[in-house]
Amino acid sequence: EADIYQTPRYLVIGTGKKITLECSQTMGHDKMYWYQQDPGMELHLIHYSYGVNSTEKGDLSSESTVSRIRTEHFPLTLESARPSHTSQYLCASSEYTDRGNEKLFFGSGTQLSVL
Amino acid sequence: GDSVTQMEGPVTLSEEAFLTINCTYTATGYPSLFWYVQYPGEGLQLLLKATKADDKGSNKGFEATYRKETTSFHLEKGSVQVSDSAVYFCALSASYNNNDMRFGAGTRLTVKP
């Protein structure tokens, strides 16, 4: 199906560590997103990007950073992880259908646990 | 697997018209259901949600009722405004499915003055 990949799939780390969650897509999509999702709950937008060298803040952006040096790569970095960061992190990219709708493609997610 | 099907659009309405965007789902259990909205140039935002059958989610004049008997979660608003122009996504999430969020394809709404 969708060619968007996230690594690692699961990560357990200690408080205070710096971590980078990787996201890559091979579809040539310009627009990419990072979302945070607690179990059974809604997505919260963390960051998004319109293309290379574009990064925008979402609702929960204050404790993380992103970069977009290449179209296919959109990594998310937490400078100092805390237990409150324990969650699932979803990366997505999008394209427009021929009917003008934006179609989202999600990666399989990274489940982060901070001890 | 679980999936969501929504009216594809685009939908064009005049201001103050009644809006319905259809959404039906297929699920092996009892998922939570969501409507997300994406305004031009922005990311997705949660519009409303319902976590069990017969729940009604509502926000900003929009409503949707979780109907188990028809496996539907149609979005409605009695009187749309130009500022409602956006893309609307129906979605589901279920704990039995690793909480993977499944989105519909999105429906673009344009409201003309």
Side-chain angles (χ1 to χ4, degrees), chain A residues 17-35:
Chain A
K17 297 291 186 184
K18 177 180 178 179
I19 58 166
T20 296
L21 307 185
E22 302 288 348
C23 177
S24 295
Q25 50 95 5
T26 58
M27 296 173 282
H29 292 163
D30 287 322
K31 203 163 181 190
M32 296 187 73
Y33 304 82
W34 275 104
Y35 290 91

Side-chain angles (χ1 to χ4, degrees), chain B residues 14 16 28-29 32 44 60 65 87-88 95-97 100 109 111:
Chain B
S14 298
E16 299 184 5
T28 56
S32 297
L44 284 171
K60 299 182 181 180
T65 301
V87 182
Y88 293 82
S95 58
Y96 59 78
N97 199 22
D100 289 345
L109 170 67
V111 181

Side-chain angles (χ1 to χ4, degrees), chain B residues 70-81:
Chain B
T70 54
T71 61
S72 65
F73 193 54
H74 303 323
L75 182 69
E76 296 182 337
K77 186 173 184 181
S79 176
V80 293
Q81 305 301 311

Side-chain angles (χ1 to χ4, degrees), chain A residues 9 33 43 50 99-102, chain B residues 8-9 36 38 41 98 108:
Chain A
R9 185 70 178 93
Y33 304 82
L43 297 170
Y50 292 110
R99 298 187 72 165
N101 294 312
E102 188 172 6
Chain B
E8 203 171 307
Y36 284 81
Q38 186 175 32
N98 201 33
R108 180 175 297 279

Side-chain angles (χ1 to χ4, degrees), chain A residues 37-65:
Chain A
Q37 185 191 23
D38 291 323
M41 302 299 288
E42 63 268 29
L43 297 170
H44 293 285
L45 180 64
I46 310 173
H47 293 278
Y48 57 105
S49 166
Y50 292 110
V52 171
N53 294 326
S54 159
T55 60
E56 305 289 339
K57 294 181 184 295
D59 304 326
L60 297 178
S61 59
S62 62
E63 299 174 10
S64 60
T65 59

Side-chain angles (χ1 to χ4, degrees), chain B residues 8-89:
Chain B
E8 203 171 307
V11 174
T12 303
L13 295 173
S14 298
E15 210 164 20
E16 299 184 5
F18 184 86
L19 169 71
T20 299
I21 301 178
N22 290 339
C23 172
T24 57
Y25 67 91
T26 302
T28 56
Y30 303 103
S32 297
L33 300 174
F34 306 86
W35 276 101
Y36 284 81
V37 60
Q38 186 175 32
Y39 297 104
E42 300 181 14
L44 284 171
Q45 302 173 28
L46 178 67
L47 181 58
L48 53 84
K49 67 178 181 182
T51 56
K52 61 183 188 299
D54 300 325
D55 270 3
K56 178 187 282 188
S58 60
N59 185 26
K60 299 182 181 180
F62 291 90
E63 292 183 341
T65 301
Y66 190 143
R67 302 257 186 233
K68 190 162 67 88
E69 62 276 14
T70 54
T71 61
S72 65
F73 193 54
H74 303 323
L75 182 69
E76 296 182 337
K77 186 173 184 181
S79 176
V80 293
Q81 305 301 311
V82 172
S83 57
D84 294 326
S85 297
V87 182
Y88 293 82
F89 293 88

